[in-house]
Amino acid sequence: MADNKTQNDDILQEIPDEQLPALRDLFKGRWPYALHAYYWLDNYIDWKKRNITKIKFYCPEGRWDDGTFIATEDEPLHTIFLFSLEKSCNRLRNALSKTSKIRWTQENFTIFFLAIHEDFQPTIMNELAVRGITVNHRDIANMWWIPKADALKYDYTIPGEVYLAALKEEDVDAIDSVWPHRVAMDDILEEIPDEQLPALRDLFKGYWPFAMHAYYWVDNYIEWKKRNITNIRFYCPEGRWDDGTFIAIEDDTVLCVFVFSLDKSNDRLRNALSKTSRIKWDQESLRISFRPVHEVHKPVILNELNKRGITLKCQVDTRLWWISIEDALNYEYDIPSDVYLAPLKKEDVDIIEPVWPHRAEYSAKIYLTSLITANGGFGLYSKLDGTLYSWVLKNNFGGMGILQTAEQHKRKGYGRILAKHFSKYWAQKGCCVFCFIVTHNNASVQLFKQLGYKQEHGVSWIHAVTK
């Protein structure tokens, strides 16, 4: 078998150290295409001389005249860097498929492909797929560069209150505490591949209504990820989500965190929150928002914040209300003669945002615009001049949200009509409709009681700020 080949039989042959400068210089004539390959090699040539690294350089069949090479380093991870000037990628593809220098078959082993040129990414992704290897994490970046002649023209002045000096080894603690990419590859939270998210979502179907909002929340973000609307990432402790335990993180103007688990003890969730560095607990003045949090998980989060000395800024407590598909399909309603019902438009945000009670907890205008664009909603508009009187949106948790009527048009039954229309519309699409009602909002509680909605568990929005 391929993975049992001897070192001498392997398609990849080691490049002697004395040949590395010539390999590096091969890339000089391919600027800026091979710019990072040149300097990456240059760095490791120096590090090898100083015994800083145990990296090894290989080339297919002992030939590197077309710039094709693969380098591997085993500390602290099995790290791979590869490059080629051969545009077809045939030699690189053949080498990856046949070599045993990369430990493809080692169980529970992390392989880290580093700084991979966009031309070679399809080759790597295909090889991983062929071998059934899960992609745990993927970062995409663009290379920016400046010619030496332009950089030499830079002028700058050092401000009076600081001085410029070479970094010292003891500076590492300050740097590490704020470096956004400091998460260890062996973090307790491992990323859930996108292709596994539908199975995670469907796991919650059998736990209705306890896991209803988790089901629709995951469902919403599966769709948003397909449409590149969000940068959210889903993680699970130790690579396992079979008990429904996961943590999702969206890094925007606020670090938004969603947690859920079917494990009644909360042990795995508690352990993950206490050990992970994917949540930037120690970043100064960072706003963290846990939303929406099931009442059984709320003590875990509050305890973790308290243990870390993180300030609780505000907490909004709600309860989940829901209606079955069958009941929603029975709704009947008439549209008053002075208004018409239509989908919301982006420009309606200018009316909705100023009167939304929770606008201070979000970048409200951006958030509401994204909801209307991505998920849609409905409004009742004046037949006289098209003014928006009342509105409802499908929120990012996949349920009914932001049901509201302009002050001068309240007590006309508009909210009831929109609640019925929204519920029936989504029930016709096979969705069970739910919403969250703030505990002291008696008017909404009475409305949804009358509509036949059932009250279930508590759900909270927890907003905190790091020191």
Side-chain angles (χ1 to χ4, degrees), residues 367-384:
Y367 176 68
L368 294 170
T369 302
S370 68
L371 287 183
I372 292 174
T373 303
N375 289 2
F378 302 101
L380 287 173
Y381 298 84
S382 167
K383 284 186 177 178
L384 183 64

Side-chain angles (χ1 to χ4, degrees), residues 204 206-214 260 294 320 322 455-457:
F204 301 127
Y207 297 87
W208 230 247
F210 178 86
M212 180 185 294
H213 79 283
F260 200 81
H294 196 294
L320 182 143
W322 71 288
Q455 181 183 202
E456 291 296 335
H457 49 267

Side-chain angles (χ1 to χ4, degrees), residues 193-246:
D194 287 357
E195 58 269 21
Q196 293 182 18
L197 293 179
L200 170 64
R201 173 200 62 199
D202 293 346
L203 186 66
F204 301 127
K205 275 185 178 176
Y207 297 87
W208 230 247
F210 178 86
M212 180 185 294
H213 79 283
Y215 174 92
Y216 284 108
W217 190 90
V218 176
D219 186 65
N220 179 81
Y221 277 97
I222 288 172
E223 178 62 23
W224 280 22
K225 282 173 77 69
K226 287 178 184 174
R227 295 161 64 187
N228 292 318
I229 295 172
T230 178
N231 63 11
I232 199 166
R233 284 177 165 165
F234 288 77
Y235 302 96
C236 56
E238 301 103 4
R240 270 187 48 225
W241 51 261
D242 55 295
D243 62 354
T245 302
F246 77 94

